[in-house]
Amino acid sequence: MPSADPSVDVVVPVKDDPRLEACVRALLAQDHPAEKLRIVVADNGSRHPRTDLADLDPRVTFLSEPRPGSYAARNAAVAVADGDVLAFTDSDTLPDPSWVSSAVRALAGGARVVAGRVRVYPRDPRRPHPVEAFEVVNAFRQDRTVPRGFAVTANLVVPREVFDAVGPFDADLPSGGDAEWCGRAVAAGFPLTYVHDAVVSHPARESYAEAWKKLCRVQHGRQLRVRNGEEPPGALSAKAFVPPVGALARAVRAAELDGPRSRLAYVVGAFYMRYGRAAAAVKHR
């Protein structure tokens, strides 16, 4: 179990993301003791790598991992990390100032793997794209996924000794490597703990094209895990083609939505995501 003020390495994989600098600056503003915080940026083939960010602060380390895939980049960053705790986030997040310290408190209290809250936000809360409205309500809901043994690497904090016991991420997976790693952690006796106060903010996807790309990536990753014997094949259920009629009630109840326009957008987004998910599953079977 880490001490109250352990050394923490924050791992940030990146490829061609203009939001990286804002993420790094938010990490440098953490209220965890500055001398015990390090940020390891793992570039994964950007056309214009932001090596200059290492000049912002001595606590920023920049490295390159040529092997494609964010999980390969995370593994490369872990290989150079030497902190007591590993904190994983993404280049498009904005961690709250107390993100690291909140997660560390949970670890000091006995948690073995911390999954914090991911606050999803749209460009304009009153005029969101349907995909944005859907994601604001449903995306990255760690409070719902942690009881099922799954957390995303946008907000995952773990003692180094636990990570080493579980092993590295599966670098061959284009998506779902966080689910695969969490499954191994739980099987090894390291349960996940949801920590509401350990918060990072994440932008919602802004278009149908972005949503489709994600749906295909997720399904491709799942099929790879099925082929590797890590998940059962499973059949495409009839529910995948049933209209999401409950979306209207959810839109009315959702506190995250602001005004009637955003609630209507949510319903449209729910229909797109239901049938888009089914189409992506068929495409990658």
Side-chain angles (χ1 to χ4, degrees):
M1 186 183 301
S3 64
D5 289 321
S7 55
V8 178
D9 284 320
V10 182
V11 171
V12 186
V14 64
K15 182 179 180 181
D16 294 317
D17 191 342
R19 297 163 292 198
L20 173 63
E21 181 173 347
C23 176
V24 170
R25 289 186 181 278
L27 291 170
L28 290 171
Q30 293 293 299
D31 61 11
H32 189 72
E35 70 277 8
K36 294 189 175 183
L37 183 72
R38 180 186 181 197
I39 301 152
V40 185
V41 176
D43 187 86
N44 197 220
S46 296
R47 288 167 294 178
H48 303 289
R50 290 296 308 274
T51 56
D52 60 298
L53 293 180
D55 299 329
L56 286 176
D57 192 285
R59 293 174 290 164
V60 180
T61 297
F62 188 97
L63 62 87
S64 296
E65 172 50 60
R67 182 179 178 181
S70 63
Y71 299 110
R74 292 183 181 96
N75 287 340
V78 169
V80 304
D82 57 8
D84 303 315
V85 171
L86 296 169
F88 296 95
T89 193
D90 293 338
S91 57
D92 55 357
T93 67
L94 290 173
D96 280 11
S98 60
W99 171 55
V100 167
S101 59
S102 295
V104 164
R105 278 195 300 273
L107 292 175
R112 305 307 285 139
V113 180
V114 165
R117 178 159 56 107
V118 182
R119 182 195 298 121
V120 181
Y121 63 92
R123 293 165 299 176
D124 182 347
R126 297 191 65 83
R127 300 173 62 88
H129 185 279
V131 170
E132 287 183 300
F134 183 85
E135 288 211 335
V136 164
V137 176
N138 296 301
F140 304 113
R141 289 301 300 264
Q142 308 259 66
D143 55 332
R144 300 175 186 170
T145 63
V146 163
R148 305 200 301 267
F150 166 60
V152 295
T153 40
N155 192 342
L156 188 70
V157 184
V158 56
R160 178 62 188 255
E161 62 181 6
V162 171
F163 187 89
D164 288 344
V166 176
F169 295 104
D170 185 341
D172 292 327
L173 293 175
S175 181
D178 38 18
E180 191 275 337
W181 188 90
C182 288
R184 280 189 280 130
V186 172
F190 303 115
L192 310 182
T193 299
Y194 174 66
V195 179
H196 185 78
D197 294 335
V199 184
V200 303
S201 295
H202 191 292
R205 288 171 179 81
E206 301 176 355
S207 68
Y208 294 123
E210 288 185 21
W212 174 246
K213 183 177 179 181
K214 178 194 176 183
L215 291 170
C216 288
R217 187 177 71 250
V218 168
Q219 287 299 327
H220 180 45
R222 182 182 183 279
Q223 286 306 313
L224 288 177
R225 296 196 299 278
V226 168
R227 291 170 198 165
N228 294 338
E230 296 160 0
E231 284 191 23
L236 190 61
S237 73
K239 182 182 177 182
F241 301 97
V242 175
V245 292
L248 181 59
R250 285 191 291 275
V252 171
R253 295 194 305 264
E256 300 91 343
L257 299 175
D258 183 10
R261 184 186 182 104
S262 65
R263 298 181 194 282
L264 177 60
Y266 175 85
V267 175
V268 175
F271 272 80
Y272 176 83
M273 296 299 287
R274 171 66 60 86
Y275 293 115
R277 190 175 294 113
V282 171
K283 174 182 172 68
H284 288 282
R285 290 184 72 81

